[in-house]
């Protein structure tokens, strides 16, 4: 499958490439890379089903709305299953 280069130009692993896409595309949201889970952990073999889970803690800055939620924010989570393309 397609993998991306790191800052030194070396190919990243499949899992690291998936994380990089998530971090790059999540504009306006500071996602902690440790909050991204990929199963299988190596990013999957050709044709494998891969699950990606992402969690983010949203902190309310508006006091009028924030009083209705926990002081440490609201955890927003998402997950997706996808079948990897068959690559060589």
């Amino acid at each position: 499958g397609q993998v991306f280069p790191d800052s030194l130009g070396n190919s990243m692993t499949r899992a690291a490439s998936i994380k990089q896409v998530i971090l790059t595309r999540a504009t306006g949201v500071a996602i902690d890379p440790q909050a991204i889970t990929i199963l299988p952990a190596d990013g999957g073999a050709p044709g494998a089903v891969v699950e990606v889970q992402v969690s983010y803690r949203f902190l309310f800055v508006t006091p009028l709305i924030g009083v209705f939620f926990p002081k440490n924010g609201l955890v927003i989570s998402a997950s997706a299953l996808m079948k990897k393309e068959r690559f060589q």
Side-chain angles (χ1 to χ4, degrees), residues 3-65:
V3 295
F4 297 104
D6 64 14
S7 60
L8 300 174
N10 301 314
S11 293
M12 295 169 29
T13 64
R14 282 188 217 93
S17 295
I18 293 168
K19 283 187 178 187
Q20 186 59 44
V21 169
I22 293 167
L23 295 170
T24 302
R25 302 252 171 112
T27 55
V29 180
I31 295 177
D32 179 357
Q34 298 300 318
I36 301 170
T37 303
I38 301 168
L39 300 171
D42 68 355
V49 174
V50 178
E51 180 178 11
V52 178
Q53 302 170 346
V54 181
S55 295
Y56 171 73
R57 184 173 302 280
F58 182 80
L59 299 172
F60 293 90
V61 293
T62 307
L64 294 174
I65 296 172

Side-chain angles (χ1 to χ4, degrees), residues 39-40 42-51 82-87:
L39 300 171
D42 68 355
V49 174
V50 178
E51 180 178 11
M82 56 207 91
K83 187 169 184 175
K84 297 203 54 174
E85 74 272 10
R86 296 201 176 272
F87 53 86

